[in-house]
Amino acid sequence: AQSVSQHNHHVILSEAASLELGCNYSYGGTVNLFWYVQYPGQHLQLLLKYFSGDPLVKGIKGFEAEFIKSKFSFNLRKPSVQWSDTAEYFCAVSTSGTYKYIFGTGTRLKVLA
Amino acid sequence: GAVVSQHPSRVICKSGTSVKIECRSLDFQATTMFWYRQFPKQSLMLMATSNEGSKATYEQGVEKDKFLINHASLTLSTLTVTSAHPEDSSFYICSARGRTGELFFGEGSRLTVL
């Protein structure tokens, strides 16, 4: 069965620090990959997505993610975080041809001002 | 981006009653919608896939007779929790698939069963 692992459950950073959140999935076929963010009290919003092409994907608010097929990974990065990035981040995977998403357990990021 | 709206955002009901939650895609047509359940400090658990004009597809372990899903139009899917019990208390989230494949999420509905 497919699964998605997010290894960092809680991350605390100071403003201007660099961020990398890990995401690994288990599925041997073609996948679509997503990162969603949930700000406190708000609904899930799409940060970025990968369907095909350039494995380095740029999203909103300065976030980017790199798909490394050999490692089954899709890690999220941001060079310099801001206090407003405090939120919960979810990695999700869907297999090509289906629209059923499997979510990771989420990473709670707290950025200290 | 596309907007998905859920209603009600909060509902409290007595044990044994039924509760209906609506999910609407406001500015696009969605042939497929999904219902998730989110437990505290956990990820979203997919409950079922709702297909317009056909029966929903339920995930393993989800009781289809308890969680009735109807997708009667291209902009509306409903989840009815029948004979609710306290263990059904949770945060229910719907999503709709956009034209380019990504999901757009509703605000979620918090159900509390007394």
Side-chain angles (χ1 to χ4, degrees):
Chain A
Q2 300 166 49
S3 66
V4 179
S5 299
Q6 289 181 244
H7 311 296
N8 317 102
H9 298 294
H10 291 89
V11 174
I12 301 175
L13 295 172
S14 298
E15 274 194 315
S18 63
L19 170 72
E20 180 159 5
L21 301 182
C23 174
N24 288 88
Y25 65 93
S26 64
Y27 182 71
T30 303
V31 293
N32 299 319
L33 300 154
F34 308 83
W35 275 98
Y36 282 85
V37 60
Q38 188 172 29
Y39 296 104
Q42 297 187 29
H43 60 278
L44 283 160
Q45 301 171 42
L46 180 68
L47 265 183
L48 46 79
K49 62 188 177 189
Y50 172 81
F51 285 160
S52 64
D54 188 344
L56 184 61
V57 179
K58 294 193 183 299
I60 61 171
K61 305 188 180 186
F63 286 91
E64 65 177 31
E66 184 174 13
F67 171 47
I68 303 179
K69 190 175 181 180
S70 61
K71 295 184 178 181
F72 298 90
S73 70
F74 190 56
N75 292 353
L76 180 71
R77 299 194 292 248
K78 185 170 184 178
S80 176
V81 294
Q82 300 174 313
W83 177 80
S84 58
D85 293 325
T86 294
E88 188 156 17
Y89 294 81
F90 293 93
C91 179
V93 173
S94 73
T95 55
S96 184
T98 75
Y99 302 102
K100 194 164 73 172
Y101 285 33
I102 305 298
F103 281 84
T105 50
T107 297
R108 287 180 181 268
L109 171 66
K110 183 170 185 177
V111 180
L112 304 175
Chain B
V3 179
V4 174
S5 177
Q6 268 183 256
H7 178 79
S9 57
R10 293 177 183 273
V11 57
I12 300 173
C13 70
K14 292 183 178 179
S15 185
T17 60
S18 295
V19 173
K20 180 186 284 188
I21 301 170
E22 293 185 346
C23 178
R24 294 182 184 273
S25 56
L26 298 184
D27 53 358
F28 66 105
Q29 294 182 328
T31 55
T32 305
M33 291 184 174
F34 301 88
W35 286 96
Y36 292 83
R37 185 171 177 177
Q38 187 176 26
F39 294 95
K41 299 183 180 181
Q42 294 187 34
S43 188
L44 286 75
M45 182 194 78
L46 179 63
M47 298 174 65
T49 303
S50 172
N51 300 299
E52 188 267 336
S54 64
K55 291 183 179 180
T57 305
Y58 291 82
E59 294 302 301
Q60 192 173 11
V62 178
E63 299 175 61
K64 62 180 180 182
D65 294 329
K66 167 167 268 305
F67 299 101
L68 299 179
I69 291 172
N70 184 276
H71 195 154
S73 78
L74 287 171
T75 59
L76 174 64
S77 175
T78 60
L79 168 68
T80 302
V81 183
T82 62
S83 187
H85 290 283
E87 57 265 30
D88 298 325
S89 298
S90 192
F91 196 56
Y92 293 89
I93 303 173
C94 76
S95 66
R97 183 175 65 84
R99 287 184 296 108
T100 54
E102 71 265 32
L103 293 186
F104 296 95
F105 287 83
E107 310 94 322
S109 300
R110 184 164 300 285
L111 169 64
T112 302
V113 184
L114 302 176

